[in-house]
Coordinates of all heavy atoms in Angstrom, one line a residue:
T275 N -71.7 39.5 5.0 CA -72.5 38.9 6.1 C -73.8 38.4 5.6 O -74.6 37.9 6.5 CB -72.7 39.9 7.2 OG1 -73.4 41.1 6.7 CG2 -71.3 40.4 7.8
V276 N -74.1 38.4 4.4 CA -75.4 37.9 3.9 C -75.5 36.4 4.1 O -76.5 35.8 4.3 CB -75.8 38.3 2.5 CG1 -74.8 37.6 1.5 CG2 -77.2 38.1 2.1
W277 N -74.3 35.7 4.0 CA -74.1 34.3 4.4 C -73.5 34.3 5.7 O -72.5 35.0 6.0 CB -73.2 33.6 3.4 CG -73.8 33.5 2.0 CD1 -74.6 32.5 1.4 CD2 -73.5 34.4 0.9 NE1 -74.8 32.8 0.1 CE2 -74.2 33.9 -0.2 CE3 -72.7 35.6 0.8 CZ2 -74.1 34.6 -1.5 CZ3 -72.7 36.3 -0.4 CH2 -73.4 35.7 -1.5
R278 N -74.0 33.6 6.6 CA -73.4 33.5 8.0 C -72.1 32.7 7.9 O -72.2 31.5 7.7 CB -74.4 32.9 9.0 CG -73.9 33.0 10.4 CD -74.8 32.4 11.4 NE -74.7 30.9 11.4 CZ -73.8 30.2 11.9 NH1 -72.8 30.7 12.5 NH2 -73.9 28.8 11.8
P279 N -71.0 33.3 8.1 CA -69.7 32.5 8.1 C -69.4 31.9 9.4 O -70.0 32.3 10.4 CB -68.7 33.6 7.7 CG -69.2 34.8 8.4 CD -70.7 34.7 8.3
D280 N -68.4 31.0 9.4 CA -67.9 30.5 10.7 C -67.1 31.6 11.4 O -67.1 31.7 12.6 CB -67.1 29.2 10.5 CG -67.9 28.1 9.9 OD1 -69.0 27.8 10.4 OD2 -67.4 27.5 8.9
I281 N -66.3 32.3 10.6 CA -65.4 33.4 11.1 C -65.6 34.6 10.2 O -65.5 34.6 9.0 CB -64.0 32.9 11.0 CG1 -63.8 31.6 11.8 CG2 -63.0 34.0 11.6 CD1 -62.4 30.9 11.5
L282 N -65.9 35.7 10.9 CA -66.0 37.0 10.2 C -64.8 37.9 10.6 O -64.5 38.1 11.8 CB -67.3 37.7 10.6 CG -67.6 39.1 10.1 CD1 -67.7 39.0 8.5 CD2 -68.9 39.7 10.7
I283 N -64.1 38.4 9.6 CA -62.9 39.3 9.8 C -63.2 40.7 9.4 O -63.6 40.9 8.2 CB -61.7 38.7 9.0 CG1 -61.5 37.2 9.3 CG2 -60.5 39.6 9.3 CD1 -61.0 36.9 10.6
L284 N -63.1 41.6 10.3 CA -63.4 43.0 10.0 C -62.3 43.9 10.4 O -61.7 43.9 11.5 CB -64.7 43.5 10.8 CG -65.9 42.7 10.7 CD1 -67.0 43.2 11.6 CD2 -66.5 42.8 9.2
D285 N -61.9 44.8 9.4 CA -60.8 45.7 9.6 C -61.3 47.1 9.4 O -61.4 47.6 8.3 CB -59.6 45.4 8.6 CG -58.4 46.2 8.9 OD1 -58.4 47.0 9.9 OD2 -57.4 46.0 8.3
E286 N -61.6 47.8 10.5 CA -62.0 49.2 10.6 C -63.2 49.5 9.7 O -63.3 50.6 9.1 CB -60.8 50.1 10.1 CG -59.7 50.3 11.2 CD -60.2 51.0 12.4 OE1 -61.3 51.5 12.4 OE2 -59.4 51.1 13.4
V287 N -64.1 48.6 9.5 CA -65.2 48.7 8.7 C -66.3 49.6 9.3 O -66.9 50.5 8.6 CB -65.8 47.4 8.3 CG1 -67.1 47.5 7.5 CG2 -64.8 46.5 7.5
L288 N -66.5 49.4 10.6 CA -67.6 50.2 11.3 C -67.3 51.6 11.4 O -68.2 52.4 11.7 CB -67.9 49.5 12.6 CG -68.2 48.0 12.6 CD1 -68.6 47.6 14.0 CD2 -69.3 47.7 11.6
S289 N -66.0 52.0 11.3 CA -65.7 53.4 11.5 C -66.0 54.4 10.4 O -66.0 55.6 10.6 CB -64.2 53.5 11.8 OG -63.4 53.1 10.7
V290 N -66.3 53.8 9.2 CA -66.5 54.7 8.0 C -68.0 55.0 7.8 O -68.4 55.8 7.0 CB -65.9 54.1 6.8 CG1 -64.4 54.1 6.9 CG2 -66.4 52.8 6.4
G291 N -68.9 54.2 8.4 CA -70.3 54.4 8.2 C -70.9 55.4 9.2 O -70.3 55.9 10.1
D292 N -72.2 55.7 9.0 CA -72.9 56.6 10.0 C -73.3 55.8 11.2 O -73.1 54.6 11.3 CB -74.1 57.3 9.3 CG -75.1 56.4 8.7 OD1 -75.2 55.2 9.2 OD2 -75.7 56.7 7.7
E293 N -73.9 56.5 12.2 CA -74.2 55.9 13.4 C -75.3 54.8 13.3 O -75.2 53.7 13.9 CB -74.7 56.9 14.4 CG -74.9 56.4 15.8 CD -75.3 57.5 16.8 OE1 -75.1 58.7 16.5 OE2 -75.8 57.2 17.9
A294 N -76.3 55.1 12.4 CA -77.3 54.1 12.2 C -76.8 52.8 11.5 O -77.2 51.7 11.9 CB -78.4 54.7 11.3
F295 N -75.9 53.0 10.6 CA -75.2 51.8 10.0 C -74.4 51.0 11.0 O -74.5 49.8 11.0 CB -74.3 52.3 8.8 CG -73.4 51.2 8.3 CD1 -73.9 50.2 7.5 CD2 -72.0 51.3 8.6 CE1 -73.0 49.2 7.0 CE2 -71.2 50.3 8.1 CZ -71.7 49.3 7.3
G296 N -73.7 51.7 11.9 CA -72.9 51.0 12.9 C -73.8 50.2 13.8 O -73.5 49.0 14.1
R297 N -75.0 50.7 14.2 CA -75.9 50.0 15.0 C -76.4 48.7 14.3 O -76.6 47.7 14.9 CB -77.0 50.9 15.5 CG -76.6 51.9 16.5 CD -77.9 52.5 17.2 NE -78.8 53.1 16.2 CZ -78.8 54.4 15.9 NH1 -77.8 55.2 16.4 NH2 -79.6 54.9 15.0
K298 N -76.7 48.9 13.0 CA -77.2 47.8 12.2 C -76.2 46.7 12.1 O -76.5 45.5 12.2 CB -77.6 48.4 10.8 CG -78.4 47.4 10.0 CD -78.9 48.2 8.7 CE -79.8 47.3 7.9 NZ -80.3 48.0 6.7
C299 N -74.9 47.1 11.9 CA -73.8 46.1 11.8 C -73.7 45.4 13.1 O -73.5 44.2 13.2 CB -72.5 46.8 11.4 SG -72.5 47.4 9.7
Q300 N -73.7 46.1 14.2 CA -73.5 45.5 15.5 C -74.6 44.5 15.8 O -74.4 43.5 16.4 CB -73.5 46.6 16.6 CG -72.2 47.5 16.6 CD -72.1 48.5 17.7 OE1 -72.8 48.4 18.7 NE2 -71.3 49.5 17.5
A301 N -75.9 44.9 15.4 CA -77.0 44.0 15.7 C -76.8 42.7 14.9 O -77.1 41.6 15.4 CB -78.3 44.7 15.2
R302 N -76.3 42.8 13.7 CA -76.0 41.5 12.9 C -74.9 40.7 13.5 O -75.0 39.5 13.6 CB -75.7 41.9 11.4 CG -75.3 40.7 10.6 CD -75.5 40.9 9.1 NE -76.9 40.9 8.7 CZ -77.3 41.0 7.4 NH1 -76.3 41.0 6.4 NH2 -78.5 41.0 7.1
M303 N -73.9 41.4 14.0 CA -72.8 40.7 14.7 C -73.2 40.0 15.9 O -72.8 38.9 16.2 CB -71.6 41.7 15.0 CG -70.9 42.2 13.8 SD -69.9 43.6 14.1 CE -68.7 43.0 15.2
E304 N -74.1 40.6 16.7 CA -74.7 40.0 17.9 C -75.5 38.8 17.5 O -75.5 37.7 18.2 CB -75.5 41.0 18.7 CG -74.8 42.1 19.3 CD -74.1 41.7 20.6 OE1 -74.0 40.5 20.9 OE2 -73.6 42.6 21.3
E305 N -76.3 38.9 16.4 CA -77.1 37.8 15.9 C -76.2 36.6 15.5 O -76.5 35.5 15.8 CB -77.9 38.3 14.7 CG -78.8 37.2 14.1 CD -79.4 37.7 12.8 OE1 -79.6 38.9 12.6 OE2 -79.7 36.8 11.9
F306 N -75.1 37.0 14.8 CA -74.1 35.9 14.4 C -73.5 35.2 15.6 O -73.3 34.0 15.7 CB -73.0 36.5 13.6 CG -73.4 36.7 12.1 CD1 -74.7 36.4 11.6 CD2 -72.4 37.2 11.2 CE1 -75.0 36.6 10.3 CE2 -72.8 37.3 9.9 CZ -74.0 37.0 9.4
R307 N -73.2 36.0 16.6 CA -72.6 35.5 17.8 C -73.5 34.4 18.5 O -73.0 33.4 18.9 CB -72.2 36.6 18.8 CG -71.8 36.0 20.2 CD -71.0 36.9 21.0 NE -71.6 38.2 21.3 CZ -71.1 39.2 21.9 NH1 -69.8 39.1 22.3 NH2 -71.7 40.3 22.1
S308 N -74.8 34.8 18.6 CA -75.7 33.8 19.2 C -75.9 32.6 18.3 O -76.3 31.5 18.9 CB -77.1 34.5 19.3 OG -77.7 34.8 18.1
S309 N -75.5 32.6 17.1 CA -75.6 31.5 16.2 C -74.2 30.7 16.1 O -74.1 29.7 15.4 CB -76.0 31.9 14.8 OG -77.3 32.5 14.8
G310 N -73.2 31.2 16.8 CA -71.9 30.5 16.8 C -70.8 31.1 16.0 O -69.7 30.6 16.0
T311 N -71.1 32.2 15.2 CA -70.1 32.8 14.4 C -69.0 33.5 15.3 O -69.4 34.2 16.3 CB -70.7 33.8 13.4 OG1 -71.4 33.1 12.4 CG2 -69.6 34.6 12.7
T312 N -67.8 33.4 14.9 CA -66.7 34.1 15.6 C -66.3 35.3 14.8 O -66.2 35.2 13.6 CB -65.4 33.1 15.7 OG1 -65.8 32.0 16.5 CG2 -64.3 33.9 16.4
T313 N -66.1 36.4 15.5 CA -65.7 37.7 14.8 C -64.4 38.1 15.3 O -64.2 38.2 16.6 CB -66.8 38.8 15.0 OG1 -68.0 38.3 14.5 CG2 -66.3 40.0 14.3
L314 N -63.4 38.4 14.4 CA -62.2 39.0 14.8 C -62.1 40.4 14.1 O -62.2 40.5 12.9 CB -61.0 38.1 14.2 CG -59.6 38.5 14.6 CD1 -59.4 38.3 16.1 CD2 -58.6 37.6 13.9
M315 N -62.1 41.4 15.0 CA -62.2 42.8 14.4 C -61.1 43.7 14.9 O -60.7 43.7 16.1 CB -63.6 43.4 14.8 CG -63.8 43.5 16.3 SD -65.5 44.2 16.6 CE -65.5 45.7 15.8
V316 N -60.7 44.6 14.0 CA -59.8 45.7 14.3 C -60.6 47.0 14.3 O -61.3 47.2 13.3 CB -58.6 45.8 13.3 CG1 -57.9 47.1 13.3 CG2 -57.6 44.7 13.5
T317 N -60.4 47.8 15.3 CA -61.1 49.1 15.3 C -60.3 50.0 16.3 O -59.7 49.6 17.3 CB -62.5 49.0 15.7 OG1 -63.1 50.3 15.7 CG2 -62.7 48.4 17.1
H318 N -60.4 51.3 16.0 CA -59.9 52.4 16.9 C -60.9 52.9 17.8 O -60.7 53.7 18.7 CB -59.2 53.5 16.1 CG -57.9 53.2 15.5 ND1 -57.8 52.8 14.2 CD2 -56.7 53.2 16.0 CE1 -56.5 52.6 13.9 NE2 -55.8 52.8 15.0
D319 N -62.2 52.4 17.6 CA -63.3 52.8 18.4 C -63.4 52.0 19.7 O -63.9 50.9 19.6 CB -64.6 52.7 17.6 CG -65.8 53.3 18.3 OD1 -65.7 53.6 19.5 OD2 -66.9 53.4 17.7
M320 N -62.9 52.5 20.8 CA -62.9 51.7 22.0 C -64.3 51.5 22.6 O -64.5 50.5 23.3 CB -62.1 52.5 23.1 CG -60.6 52.6 22.7 SD -59.8 51.1 22.4 CE -58.7 51.5 21.0

Side-chain angles (χ1 to χ4, degrees):
T275 62
V276 69
W277 296 271
R278 188 184 72 80
D280 298 311
I281 303 168
L282 178 63
I283 307 289
L284 302 175
D285 191 355
E286 286 294 354
V287 174
L288 305 185
S289 62
V290 296
D292 56 29
E293 187 176 346
F295 168 73
R297 289 196 301 268
K298 195 172 183 179
C299 291
Q300 290 184 20
R302 176 160 285 188
M303 290 164 63
E304 292 280 13
E305 177 188 338
F306 278 4
R307 171 160 55 185
S308 65
S309 300
T311 290
T312 299
T313 300
L314 189 62
M315 63 181 298
V316 163
T317 181
H318 286 97
D319 184 352
M320 297 301 143

